[in-house]
């Protein structure tokens, strides 16, 4: 039955209407135009290498001669561990993929973001660093964006809506949410029939990896995940590297306030797990699942690989069992792929 519910989620996301707001932000607009964040690369050192980052005269060095020569040439002025608090694991975890292949779950302790003058080309620096024996890979901090389409090109007409509503009439469970009759996709994916057997468990935590979630929304406020180990006291109570992350994290502004400033993430959260049969609003696919808000996209719907990958990792580290990803991009990021592989070890990915 778990597999059936996941199929419902996958189908729902493939047919739902999504819309991004139009917010002007010069830095993010430039990043979208050129395909990466200016002045940054992501580098992963090999697991048996221990870079010792120091800063002298405004420039970064690692204690590794070949690496340091290039960092000096490129005027690299800052570095930070991308997956904050990540430690080298001594155990070996293995992913089993649907195609029958297996691969070790990746390590994250040795991945760093390097900063340098924005006029320099991150593609060239990545290529030079990738040639070094101490480096597993290096890549630009690429951009991605939330998915959606506008109602004038994507909505069904009233006749179609009526047909869809009738297709599931009289079958399974009919919740009392007033907008349920307009949610044509739920009968289409046979959600009412599934609800007659299973409505969803509160043990399931769906990470909404998006523009944030409005946790004050009346149809979501009772469904928001609460970090069981965290107390709001200005300290990192549970030692996970994030202070006061009582309900998730905002990786755009780097704070504990993953409030949606776009509406896309809230929309996805409602589709997945709006409070159902409560006499208000709409019905969610899962009546029981909790929502973990993880904000990885700016208000205009643009995000960087560094934010996205750390957000995915955070969700997996903190108990997410399903990972909602309604976004994409024009290029591939190895870092995002590794983060998704780590998430996949913990639960299914909806994309």
């Amino acid at each position: 039955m778990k597999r059936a519910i996941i199929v419902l989620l996958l189908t729902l996301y493939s047919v739902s209407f999504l819309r991004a707001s139009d917010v002007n932000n010069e830095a993010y607009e430039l990043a979208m135009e050129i395909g990466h964040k200016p002045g940054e690369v992501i580098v992963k050192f090999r697991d048996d290498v221990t870079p010792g980052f120091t800063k002298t005269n405004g420039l970064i060095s690692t204690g590794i001669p070949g690496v340091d020569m290039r960092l000096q040439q490129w005027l690299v002025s800052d570095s930070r561990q991308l997956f904050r608090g990540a430690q080298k694991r001594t155990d070996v975890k293995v992913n089993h993929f649907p195609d029958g292949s297996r691969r070790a779950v990746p390590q994250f302790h040795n991945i760093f973001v390097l900063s340098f003058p924005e006029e320099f080309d991150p593609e060239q620096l990545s290529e030079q660093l990738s040639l070094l024996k101490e480096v597993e890979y290096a890549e630009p901090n690429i951009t991605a964006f939330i998915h959606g389409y506008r109602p004038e090109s994507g909505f069904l007409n009233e006749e179609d809506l009526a047909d869809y509503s009738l297709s599931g009439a009289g079958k399974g469970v009919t919740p009392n949410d007033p907008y349920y009759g307009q949610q044509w996709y739920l009968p289409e994916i046979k959600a009412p029939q599934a609800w007659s057997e299973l409505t969803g468990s509160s043990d399931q935590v769906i990470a909404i990896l998006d523009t944030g979630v409005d946790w004050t929304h009346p149809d979501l406020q009772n469904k928001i995940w609460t970090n069981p180990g965290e107390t709001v006291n200005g300290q990192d109570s549970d030692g996970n590297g994030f202070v006061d992350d009582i309900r998730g994290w905002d990786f755009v502004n780097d704070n504990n306030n993953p409030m949606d400033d776009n509406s896309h993430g809230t929309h996805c959260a409602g589709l997945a797990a709006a409070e159902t049969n409560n006499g208000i609003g709409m019905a969610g696919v899962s009546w029981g699942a909790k929502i973990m808000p993880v904000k990885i996209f700016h208000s205009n719907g643009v995000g960087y690989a560094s934010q996205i990958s750390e957000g995915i990792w955070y969700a997996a580290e903190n108990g997410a069992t399903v990972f909602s990803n309604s976004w994409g991009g024009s290029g591939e990021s190895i870092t995002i792929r590794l983060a998704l592989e780590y998430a996949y070890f913990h639960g299914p990915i909806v994309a």
Side-chain angles (χ1 to χ4, degrees), residues 61-73 132-134:
S61 59
T62 64
I64 305 171
V67 174
D68 290 343
M69 182 180 71
R70 284 158 179 80
L71 299 188
Q72 297 289 317
Q73 289 174 342
L132 301 173
K133 66 180 186 300
E134 296 88 358

Side-chain angles (χ1 to χ4, degrees), residues 59-92:
L59 298 180
I60 294 296
S61 59
T62 64
I64 305 171
V67 174
D68 290 343
M69 182 180 71
R70 284 158 179 80
L71 299 188
Q72 297 289 317
Q73 289 174 342
W74 285 79
L75 305 180
V76 174
S77 58
D78 200 8
S79 65
R80 63 180 176 88
Q81 184 183 30
L82 175 52
F83 300 91
R84 68 195 77 178
Q87 302 292 323
K88 185 177 181 179
R89 299 192 317 273
T90 56
D91 61 331
V92 178

Side-chain angles (χ1 to χ4, degrees), residues 168-175 180 190-197:
K171 299 177 181 178
V173 176
T174 301
Y180 171 71
K190 296 181 172 56
Q193 291 92 318
W195 291 333
S196 66
E197 298 186 43

Side-chain angles (χ1 to χ4, degrees), residues 41-45 80-83 106-108 110-113 126 136-142 304-313 327 331-343:
V41 298
I42 301 173
V43 57
K44 184 180 191 301
F45 293 90
R80 63 180 176 88
Q81 184 183 30
L82 175 52
F83 300 91
Q107 299 267 13
F108 293 91
N110 248 359
I111 303 179
F112 297 86
V113 178
S126 298
E136 186 169 315
Y137 73 82
E139 63 182 6
N141 193 358
I142 70 164
Y304 301 130
S306 55
Q307 300 165 348
I308 295 166
S309 55
E310 191 181 13
I312 296 168
W313 179 81
W327 50 268
E332 182 184 6
S333 166
I334 300 173
T335 310
I336 292 177
R337 176 173 59 79
L338 295 180
L340 287 170
E341 288 187 11
Y342 187 68

Side-chain angles (χ1 to χ4, degrees), residues 259-285:
M259 175 60 75
D260 192 358
D261 51 12
N262 174 284
S263 79
H264 187 276
T266 301
H267 187 96
C268 291
L271 292 171
E275 189 171 0
T276 305
N277 211 35
N278 63 341
I280 64 171
M282 61 182 283
V285 172

